[in-house]
Amino acid sequence: MEKSEKIIWALRIIAAGILLQTLFFKFSGAEESIYIFSTLGIEPYGRIGSGIAELVVAILILIPKTTWIGALGGCGVMAGAILSHLFVLGISVQNDGGLLFLLALITLLCCLGLLYFNKSKLFNLLNLK
């Protein structure tokens, strides 16, 4: 396995791992998740909907042929999370020290890295060379 392939797998595992780890809290109705989505005014449908979106994105990221689609979706989901933190929730939510914000940033960076490694597929989709 070459170096770039190892990096791609590391990015996949980190992004999907973070996305999948947070699902438990969304789907179990954890207090912090309910607080976040209530503050955003979209509880419970936003919590469940974002959980489903994150599950789909994580699965797509882990499948090599669909990694770029999952990474594109992951960028969208994480952009929404980051903007929610910046404009509504604040960096630190319920004294978490900014952990959720940091996890969203790490996931976004991993997804951007995956898009970089899959840029030829994106360029082909857009008919660019």
Side-chain angles (χ1 to χ4, degrees), residues 68-99:
W68 69 275
I69 299 169
L72 201 56
C75 285
V77 171
M78 290 302 108
I82 290 166
L83 291 172
S84 294
H85 277 277
L86 291 175
F87 294 109
V88 182
L89 300 168
I91 302 296
S92 180
V93 177
Q94 291 190 320
N95 300 315
D96 76 344
L99 178 63

Side-chain angles (χ1 to χ4, degrees), residues 34-64:
I34 290 174
Y35 170 81
I36 289 168
F37 288 94
S38 294
T39 302
L40 295 172
I42 53 174
E43 169 63 29
Y45 303 107
R47 177 173 49 85
I48 301 299
S50 70
I52 292 169
E54 290 175 15
L55 176 61
V56 170
V57 163
I59 292 168
L60 290 171
I61 285 172
L62 289 172
I63 300 169

Side-chain angles (χ1 to χ4, degrees), residues 90-118:
I91 302 296
S92 180
V93 177
Q94 291 190 320
N95 300 315
D96 76 344
L99 178 63
L100 290 176
F101 181 75
L102 179 62
L103 291 173
L105 281 176
I106 291 168
T107 305
L108 176 64
L109 291 173
C110 288
C111 288
L112 289 171
L114 289 169
L115 288 177
Y116 173 78
F117 282 107
N118 286 276

